Amino acid sequence: MTNNGFQHGHAAGMRIHVLPTKAFKTFAISLYAGVPLEESTVTSTALVPFVLRRGTASYPETTQFRERLEELYGAGFGFDIYKRGDYQIVQFRMDTINDSFVQSKESLLGESFAFLGEVLTRPLLESGSFRASYVATERETIRKKLESIVNDKIRYAAERCIEEMCHNEPYRLHPLGQRADLDAITPETLYQSYTSWLNGATLDLYVVGDTTPEEVEKLVTAHFGRAHHSEAGGYTSDFTPVKVTEVRTVEEKLDVNQGKLNMGLRTSITYKDDRYASALMYNGILGGYPHSKLFVNVREKESLAYYASSRYDGHKGIGTIQSGIETQNYGKAVDIIRKQLDELKAGNITDLELSQTKAMIRNLLSEIQDSAFEMISFDFNRQLSGKDRSAQELMEQVDGMGAAEVKAAADTFELDTIYFLTGKEE
């Protein structure tokens, strides 16, 4: 058992993580399947769960698939695809009511495992490959999702900044893949990709609810035996910081009314690092919250931006700044944003900034305990990074943070890329 409360084991070639608790009236089930981000596989891997959710061997029609969830007292089912560091993660989720709250002849937890196991390991096949109509429809689903990013210029600028900054790294890839690769995917090639993905993925299955590790391991063995037969692997958390030699500036012109100024920063601090809490504080004071330097100085005082914020990816060692500005204010905005970075490096951090940021992070960490899926997500960070750190420990580290530690974190953040999306000239 770890100090996060989860008990860990192995079954059917996957890692099992169970948090026995009576705190929730439901069972939260989450299955993570992670593979390295690679240009040759990223699009087909993203397409797989969209096709899997259309039908299985027992429920070949999408209506039957949905009706089965209704029979399980309206069980919830869904999936997400995202990247963590240089890995592409597919996460399946089920939310099922605890048996003790309904009069059911069957174990709802067992039936949920049977359903999820079938989704993953017994998809609907026709002539040895996926149903052609499902593949065609879901190809268009992904195409529209990728096109929607281009239409949402805030998201587009954020993605393009990462693409430019990480142009030689897998992290440049969008977890949904690339539009140019979609047309070449056939039902036959997608089934081959699915088989390779399932055999090669690192599988982590989580359950939070009134159950035991022994019960979960039996259910996994019974319903996920087809998943893969190799020993459960893991994620490599080796990290080599990227040294910034010069700041790259990229300007792109599109039909936009408002300029989008994004910046990418590199840091040597990742989730695994003992200094992680100081990087969280740095990001919070820089632009993570409404009281932060970017919001107050760039947006409020100087009125240079419609929005201004920052994010920190602790699995990749990257910070990003997002802002929307009038194109003629580009020079001023760059100067004042860089000034905020310099202020943090100089240790010019007020007690109020420290206390407000601590309060915001404390609230976020406290809220984890109110959601089974948030607890699962937090523990999954441990699987990705190899760092065993409870939310309570992280909270205590944040609470003990002073300006000197935040300044030390600031010294590790170096501006790498400036990306500016501007309008086409008349």
Side-chain angles (χ1 to χ4, degrees):
M1 182 188 289
T2 76
N3 53 19
N4 288 326
F6 283 91
Q7 299 178 34
H8 307 284
H10 293 84
M14 66 174 69
R15 302 187 294 194
I16 311 297
H17 318 278
V18 182
L19 179 58
T21 176
K22 297 181 187 295
F24 303 103
K25 293 182 178 179
T26 59
F27 293 107
I29 306 168
S30 198
L31 175 65
Y32 294 89
V35 293
L37 265 173
E38 293 179 359
E39 191 159 10
S40 60
T41 58
V42 63
T43 309
S44 56
T45 296
L47 183 54
V48 163
F50 284 92
V51 174
L52 294 183
R53 62 112 183 241
R54 292 300 303 272
T56 70
S58 301
Y59 315 105
E61 303 300 326
T62 306
T63 50
Q64 295 172 316
F65 186 94
R66 292 172 181 162
E67 284 168 359
R68 179 55 183 154
L69 290 169
E70 286 303 314
E71 290 170 3
L72 297 175
Y73 292 85
F77 171 83
F79 66 90
D80 288 309
I81 307 166
Y82 46 84
K83 60 186 176 186
R84 290 290 181 270
D86 289 332
Y87 286 96
Q88 183 182 20
I89 310 289
V90 179
Q91 178 192 8
F92 296 94
R93 299 180 314 279
M94 282 198 75
D95 195 11
T96 308
I97 194 164
N98 189 315
D99 298 345
S100 61
F101 292 97
V102 293
Q103 291 182 330
S104 174
K105 296 177 183 176
E106 54 198 6
S107 161
L108 292 180
L109 180 62
E111 292 301 315
S112 296
F113 266 81
F115 182 83
L116 185 57
E118 177 155 333
V119 169
L120 190 72
T121 67
R122 297 184 64 225
L124 172 65
L125 299 180
E126 292 180 342
S127 303
S129 63
F130 287 126
R131 178 177 281 182
S133 61
Y134 287 172
V135 173
T137 302
E138 298 309 323
R139 270 200 318 244
E140 292 311 302
T141 300
I142 287 191
R143 194 189 311 276
K144 288 175 183 175
K145 285 180 178 292
L146 290 170
E147 286 172 352
S148 72
I149 296 171
V150 180
N151 297 329
D152 181 346
K153 294 303 185 286
I154 292 176
R155 286 177 65 200
Y156 175 77
E159 291 293 337
R160 286 286 297 116
C161 182
I162 291 294
E163 277 182 19
E164 291 292 340
M165 181 164 69
C166 302
H167 58 280
N168 291 324
E169 301 164 63
Y171 195 74
R172 74 186 186 282
L173 298 167
H174 192 281
L176 284 179
Q178 304 175 110
R179 283 182 293 171
D181 295 340
L182 285 168
D183 289 337
I185 297 175
T186 67
E188 293 77 19
T189 62
L190 186 63
Y191 182 68
Q192 291 168 4
S193 298
Y194 154 78
T195 303
S196 298
W197 166 75
L198 192 57
N199 286 332
T202 296
L203 299 177
D204 287 278
L205 190 137
Y206 279 86
V207 183
V208 173
D210 189 9
T211 182
T212 64
E214 294 74 22
E215 181 183 21
V216 170
E217 287 180 15
K218 287 178 184 174
L219 291 171
V220 167
T221 302
H223 300 296
F224 289 87
R226 296 165 175 257
H228 63 40
H229 302 288
S230 60
E231 277 301 307
Y235 298 95
T236 57
S237 54
D238 296 337
F239 173 71
T240 304
V242 176
K243 293 194 186 308
V244 179
T245 53
E246 63 176 338
V247 178
R248 293 180 67 237
T249 300
V250 178
E251 183 177 296
E252 184 174 357
K253 293 182 185 294
L254 286 178
D255 188 13
V256 294
N257 296 323
Q258 182 193 100
K260 305 289 183 276
L261 173 60
N262 287 53
M263 297 184 182
L265 302 97
R266 302 274 191 178
T267 176
S268 59
I269 301 175
T270 63
Y271 189 89
K272 190 176 183 179
D273 200 298
D274 289 336
R275 300 170 294 168
Y276 176 68
S278 66
L280 281 185
M281 286 291 293
Y282 168 84
N283 178 67
I285 293 170
L286 174 63
Y289 305 109
H291 66 266
S292 55
K293 288 183 182 292
L294 290 176
F295 190 90
V296 170
N297 294 301
V298 183
R299 186 180 185 275
E300 298 293 305
K301 287 185 180 177
E302 298 292 335
S303 300
L304 282 174
Y306 299 100
Y307 62 89
S309 63
S310 68
R311 293 180 188 143
Y312 166 58
D313 182 342
H315 291 292
K316 181 63 180 172
I318 278 179
T320 53
I321 294 170
Q322 305 80 35
S323 66
I325 63 172
E326 294 294 339
T327 54
Q328 66 269 23
N329 289 334
Y330 169 77
K332 282 184 189 174
V334 169
D335 288 344
I336 195 166
I337 290 173
R338 295 187 78 154
K339 184 182 178 186
Q340 307 317 306
L341 298 175
D342 291 340
E343 288 285 300
L344 278 158
K345 283 181 182 291
N348 293 332
I349 301 160
T350 67
D351 289 342
L352 184 60
E353 286 173 329
L354 283 170
S355 62
Q356 287 179 321
T357 303
K358 288 178 183 181
M360 298 298 282
I361 295 174
R362 195 182 301 118
N363 287 342
L364 288 172
L365 291 173
S366 298
E367 288 169 4
I368 289 173
Q369 302 305 314
D370 299 329
S371 164
F373 284 108
E374 287 295 327
M375 293 166 78
I376 289 171
S377 179
F378 189 89
D379 190 80
F380 183 60
N381 285 331
R382 169 186 179 275
Q383 309 306 323
L384 277 172
S385 66
K387 179 68 174 180
D388 190 1
R389 178 199 291 119
S390 70
Q392 181 62 37
E393 285 174 333
L394 186 54
M395 203 181 298
E396 289 169 1
Q397 290 170 2
V398 166
D399 279 338
M401 203 67 56
E405 289 91 344
V406 179
K407 178 195 181 306
D411 287 336
T412 72
F413 280 83
E414 296 295 336
L415 183 60
D416 180 294
T417 301
I418 298 173
Y419 170 85
F420 185 44
L421 177 63
T422 183
K424 294 178 180 177
E425 295 177 8
E426 293 296 327

